[in-house]
């Protein structure tokens, strides 16, 4: 029994200490975010409709994408591609329905409904970086981390 426990411990230690260069989701900085969104204001009014999205510059690593999934769920994602170091082309700027696209050569695409890569086969290790969204009443939401 002790031998089995020792083998399990060694296996865990060895597997945890292995360096995996293909998986690195540490490109984005932990930037403090504190944004109040009022859907009664014109710039956020379309978030009252299911499936709509709004980009807000000046927050997070590359701005924030807000996405209304349904009547009760609003998502907030960092608008910087999590599979790139932050550079000018890594901001997810092109919106097609619920899909945003990275401006770099690889044109990574992500779903604002799930945060996952938008592709038939998932090839990128990192998902969009989410932010907490709190409904504070009267059409207002607090986006933070």
């Amino acid at each position: 029994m002790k031998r089995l426990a020792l083998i399990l411990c060694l296996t865990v230690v060895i597997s945890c200490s292995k360096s995996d260069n293909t998986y690195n989701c540490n490109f984005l900085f932990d930037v403090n975010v504190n944004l109040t969104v009022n859907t009664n204001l014109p710039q956020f009014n379309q978030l009252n409709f299911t499936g709509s999205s709004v980009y807000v510059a000046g927050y997070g690593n590359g701005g924030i994408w807000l996405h209304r999934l349904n009547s009760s769920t609003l998502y907030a994602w960092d608008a910087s591609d999590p599979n790139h170091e932050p550079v000018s082309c890594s901001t997810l700027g092109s919106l097609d329905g619920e899909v945003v696209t990275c401006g770099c050569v690889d044109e990574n695409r992500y779903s604002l409904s799930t945060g996952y890569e938008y592709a038939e086969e998932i090839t990128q290790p990192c998902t969009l970086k989410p932010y907490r969204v709190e409904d504070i009443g009267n059409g207002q939401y607090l986006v933070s981390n």
Side-chain angles (χ1 to χ4, degrees), residues 62 68 88 95 105 110-111 131-132:
R68 172 64 70 183
S88 60
L95 176 67
V105 175
Y110 300 89
S111 167
Y131 291 107
R132 181 182 11 248

Side-chain angles (χ1 to χ4, degrees), residues 28-139:
L28 302 184
F29 301 109
D30 286 327
V31 179
N32 190 28
V33 171
N34 188 6
L35 165 67
T36 300
V37 175
N38 185 342
T39 59
N40 298 312
L41 296 175
Q43 65 265 35
F44 299 116
N45 188 24
Q46 71 185 80
L47 290 174
N48 290 313
F49 305 101
T50 299
S52 63
S53 302
V54 171
Y55 173 76
V56 182
Y59 292 90
N61 289 275
I64 293 178
W65 275 105
L66 300 166
H67 179 71
R68 172 64 70 183
L69 183 64
N70 55 44
S71 62
S72 62
T73 306
L74 182 68
Y75 285 138
W77 307 103
D78 198 292
S80 189
D81 188 333
N83 293 290
H84 285 284
E85 57 189 51
V87 292
S88 60
C89 69
S90 66
T91 299
L92 301 166
S94 177
L95 176 67
D96 181 15
E98 69 167 47
V99 178
V100 288
T101 304
C102 171
C104 297
V105 175
D106 55 9
E107 297 183 332
N108 292 335
R109 298 169 28 150
Y110 300 89
S111 167
L112 292 176
S113 292
T114 64
Y116 287 98
E117 179 182 12
Y118 189 80
E120 286 186 27
E121 183 179 322
I122 304 298
T123 60
Q124 298 299 327
C126 306
T127 62
L128 292 179
K129 180 177 182 171
Y131 291 107
R132 181 182 11 248
V133 179
E134 180 184 351
D135 185 346
I136 55 178
N138 298 326

